[in-house]
Amino acid sequence: VTMAHRLLRAARTASKLQQVGSAHRLTAQRALTSCRCLLEQSLDHSLETDVGGEEPAPFVLPADLAPIEFVHREARPILSFGEAIKVLRACAVHQVTFEAHVKISMHDKTRKRGRPRDPLRGVFVLPHGFKQARKIVVLALGDDVDTALSAGAVAAGGEDLLEQLSEGKLSYDLVMSTPDALKELKSQAGRVLRTQMPTVKKGTVVEDLETELPRIARGISIRSDTSGAIPIAFGKLRLSDDQLRENLDSVVKQVLEYNIGVKGRFIERITISTSNGPGFEVDLEEVVHPLL
């Protein structure tokens, strides 16, 4: 009975690992080898306990036994934008968010060979909004305070604003600043804001508040990882197919603006998915090449 249990457990483990794919090839191979060894031992044991008095013949595996082969999962086909959206709508069970996972080349011709470019950061504004505008507070001095408030800021000011933020009296999503205010209040703001400190690299230190503040409030912050993958939300289920396509075209155009002389394709792959659904790679000939 113990041998049967061990055999069953090894077979189940091998079956599960085989379904996962080639990532666990070695582990699955070991489990299957263990399964075969246990099978040999169980057969030898059953032959030894046979009633008959004759010495059982040893169990030998056939020489022409085919090796174990793992069946690889077939890659999902590359779909058109319309086909991918149609499948994702069918899989949606609530008001999901559509996401575009853009893979870009990290080659930078201005750097030494082998050194990738810095992560891509920015704020993308899409033609059809689907999220609430972010609440922004602005570190500003003088006339810039009134400019920030008229542009849509929740609050604006200098030391008085930092006091309110340190006491937790304001509800906000993002902190922006003008260059002059940041230079004067940098030490105090660093102690209060910490990781929310506005910086030039994040794009939250701006001079033209009238233009940049509404753009950042409605925009979507993006950042690539070290491999060049950029996840970008570009719509909700309530938007029409045409609106989703216009948003995706806007995403592609804004990503292409970051191209710094990459040889070959800058955008290598685009995969469309939902927040809780499968992902499908879309045809670059349809989505990217018309915008080049």
Side-chain angles (χ1 to χ4, degrees):
V1 176
T2 305
M3 184 68 71
H5 279 276
R6 292 173 62 189
L7 178 61
L8 182 61
R9 185 165 59 249
R12 285 177 177 173
T13 304
S15 176
K16 289 179 180 179
L17 291 172
Q18 187 174 354
Q19 293 173 7
V20 170
S22 59
H24 299 279
R25 179 188 297 275
L26 182 60
T27 310
Q29 185 68 49
R30 289 174 179 171
L32 287 171
T33 304
S34 174
C35 182
R36 293 176 66 180
C37 292
L38 289 172
L39 179 60
E40 293 178 20
Q41 295 176 15
S42 62
L43 289 174
D44 290 343
H45 180 70
S46 63
L47 290 174
E48 289 175 1
T49 55
D50 260 353
V51 179
E54 297 182 2
E55 184 176 351
F59 177 78
V60 180
L61 290 175
D64 58 346
L65 184 65
I68 300 171
E69 295 183 1
F70 289 87
V71 179
H72 295 277
R73 292 184 178 181
E74 293 186 1
R76 288 178 177 169
I78 298 177
L79 305 180
S80 66
F81 176 80
E83 292 172 342
I85 292 297
K86 186 181 296 184
V87 175
L88 292 174
R89 285 188 186 277
C91 296
V93 293
H94 57 85
Q95 194 63 233
V96 294
T97 301
F98 288 96
E99 300 173 354
H101 299 265
V102 183
K103 174 66 173 66
I104 63 171
S105 171
M106 296 298 285
H107 172 73
D108 187 350
K109 68 177 183 179
T110 63
R111 292 181 174 232
K112 292 183 179 180
R113 183 175 299 178
R115 293 187 179 181
R117 64 178 293 169
D118 292 331
L120 187 151
R121 298 183 183 183
V123 177
F124 288 0
V125 179
L126 306 183
H128 304 286
F130 58 94
K131 289 185 175 182
Q132 292 184 350
R134 288 184 286 187
K135 300 177 182 179
I136 299 178
V137 296
V138 181
L139 294 176
L141 301 173
D143 296 337
D144 290 334
V145 175
D146 296 331
T147 304
L149 293 175
S150 62
V154 175
E159 295 182 1
D160 55 337
L161 178 63
L162 290 175
E163 290 181 7
Q164 296 180 29
L165 294 177
S166 63
E167 295 173 0
K169 294 181 179 181
L170 292 176
S171 174
Y172 62 96
D173 300 318
L174 186 68
V175 181
M176 294 181 62
S177 175
T178 60
D180 296 338
L182 185 64
K183 184 177 181 180
E184 184 172 335
L185 303 171
K186 188 171 184 178
S187 58
Q188 303 175 35
R191 290 192 297 268
V192 175
L193 300 176
R194 298 180 181 274
T195 58
Q196 294 181 326
M197 183 78 172
T199 62
V200 176
K201 185 177 287 188
K202 292 180 183 178
T204 50
V205 178
V206 297
E207 292 185 4
D208 188 2
L209 291 173
E210 290 185 3
T211 304
E212 293 297 320
L213 197 149
R215 185 182 73 85
I216 294 176
R218 295 188 302 107
I220 300 172
S221 299
I222 62 101
R223 178 190 171 107
S224 66
D225 59 16
T226 54
S227 65
I230 314 172
I232 309 171
F234 68 96
K236 285 279 190 180
L237 188 65
R238 64 175 181 268
L239 297 183
S240 66
D241 291 358
D242 293 337
Q243 291 174 326
L244 291 173
R245 180 57 190 267
E246 290 176 8
N247 278 358
L248 182 62
D249 288 347
S250 177
V251 166
V252 173
K253 288 179 182 177
Q254 294 177 74
V255 170
L256 289 173
E257 292 177 359
Y258 288 85
N259 190 354
I260 48 178
V262 174
K263 296 180 180 179
R265 293 190 304 179
F266 177 61
I267 296 180
E268 299 176 351
R269 185 174 60 254
I270 296 179
T271 303
I272 294 177
S273 66
T274 55
S275 50
N276 63 345
F280 298 97
E281 186 175 349
V282 295
D283 188 8
L284 295 182
E285 293 283 346
E286 177 195 0
V287 177
V288 178
H289 291 185
L291 303 176
L292 293 176

